Amino acid sequence: MARTNRDYALLGRDARLAEEIGLVSAAWYHTEIPRKLMKDLMQRGDLPAIRDTIILFATMIGSAAAGIWLWPSWWSAPFWAIYGVLYASAMDSRWHECGHGTAFRTRWMNDALYQIACFCMLRNPVVWRWSHARHHTDTIIVGHDPEIIAMRPAVVARLILNFFGLFELWGNGKATLQLIFGHMPETTCSFVPASEQPKAFRIARIWGLIYLSTAALAVWLGSILPFMVIGMPILFGSWHMVMTGYMQHLGLAENVLDHRLNSRTVYINPVSRFIYWNMNYHVEHHMFPMVPYHALPRLHALIRHDLPPAHPSILSAYAEIIPTLARQFRNPDWFVKRQLPATAKPYRPEFHGDLEPGQPTPGIGGYPLPHAAE
Amino acid sequence: MPWITACSTDDIETEDLMRFDHAGRSFAIYRSPDDEFFCTDGHCTHERVHLADGLVMDYVVECPKHNGQFDYRTGEAVRAPVCVNLATFQTRVEDGQVQIFIP
């Protein structure tokens, strides 16, 4: 089995090579949209997000209340299942949209929901704001994007365990503890400015106090019930976030400057769209990140002529992803290069260096696989 | 003569901006909701993204990439990921033309 011939470490070898060949902080391909239309698409409003937030919190409170009422009977399980998905998956999309500042027009509403969502996801609001900014600057640029989920070849056990939130809870829990003690790893410091770091420490310490209080309540009650409300839903509610998150970029190109090559748009059911806040329109979101979630279907209709066809379903997306990940065990340079419709502008070599599936990234790849060099 | 004619007042809609390039530099010129004109550096101070594709809301311009926000009247950075203020330039309107003062 081939191990990866890439260096995914931030500050690593591929980070330096990507910088040398101009892949970092670069100009990306955009479908042309008249300014007037784009302004209209970017317009913010409070109503859609207020409506969705009321539905979200009402459902969370209702399901948690039912879960607590029926605890410890197994009849409480369906309510915890609902609560968990909203806590650990819907809050992921709220973290994301509010981090972009596009959910609401009113700033304090964005900030308030952002803080709540970060707490649920155990993602430090300072660190993750900057991490996601880097993801948009250098989307799937190896060594620069801190949010690449799967290396090539993928670590299958990790991809499976992610559905149970284990790495999410462990990784974010560990990072929170480090921040509580005033330590920020060097790789994180590479994208969080020094002036922002005290804020990250302060918030982590407040969270630490909340978790300590939860633990004290659990001890007093002699029950894990408080952790069913806070923290543990990450373990039983992350699966939807992972299922939709894997569709975003897995199996597509690395080290390109055209989101049509490294992002995927998938049509999904209305419930998942509510949980995911329309991030299934992922090519559109990356091309125009300032378009609010509620305007993405309209944006999609406007630019679909210039994009690879959207996948008709989640199953269709996975039918593309799984064989591609399997093939990357034989050839880590393999990826899916999706065909554009005749109406689209072709992929431009100046944006992605004529990158073809199975070929190493010009200027970066071409070095031997680790096992071949041994 | 540091006053440079950048555009006509009609070139920019109310609560919008446009790009203006001059002598190797790039600027953003804004028309506020009160139909006043302002000018800043064209590029975001976070990363080299031009603000011309951004959204103007009241007196704030958003970077189109990461939503770093500036008060375009003063250049003040008001929302992360921007931490560094934007340079601003004086403007005036003469005979329907927007002019900027480039020191």
Side-chain angles (χ1 to χ4, degrees), chain B residues 38-102:
Chain B
F38 297 89
C39 178
T40 69
D41 251 345
H43 290 97
C44 180
T45 57
H46 168 228
E47 286 179 1
R48 201 173 161 74
V49 175
H50 208 287
L51 297 169
D53 292 327
L55 182 66
V56 173
M57 285 195 297
D58 300 326
Y59 296 99
V60 167
V61 61
E62 292 181 345
C63 170
K65 189 81 169 177
H66 303 108
N67 202 3
Q69 296 179 358
F70 301 94
D71 183 328
Y72 57 81
R73 296 169 298 182
T74 60
E76 183 190 359
V78 293
R79 182 184 186 274
V82 290
C83 303
V84 177
N85 294 345
L86 204 54
T88 56
F89 302 88
Q90 280 182 271
T91 62
R92 69 183 184 192
V93 175
E94 295 276 326
D95 298 327
Q97 303 294 305
V98 181
Q99 298 183 329
I100 63 173
F101 184 85
I102 305 174

Side-chain angles (χ1 to χ4, degrees), chain A residues 35-36 44 99-100 107 137, chain B residues 13 16 47 54 62 66-67:
Chain A
R35 169 78 184 157
K36 215 176 177 62
R44 306 294 144 70
H100 279 286
R107 192 164 161 194
T137 303
Chain B
E13 290 184 7
D16 200 7
E47 286 179 1
E62 292 181 345
H66 303 108
N67 202 3

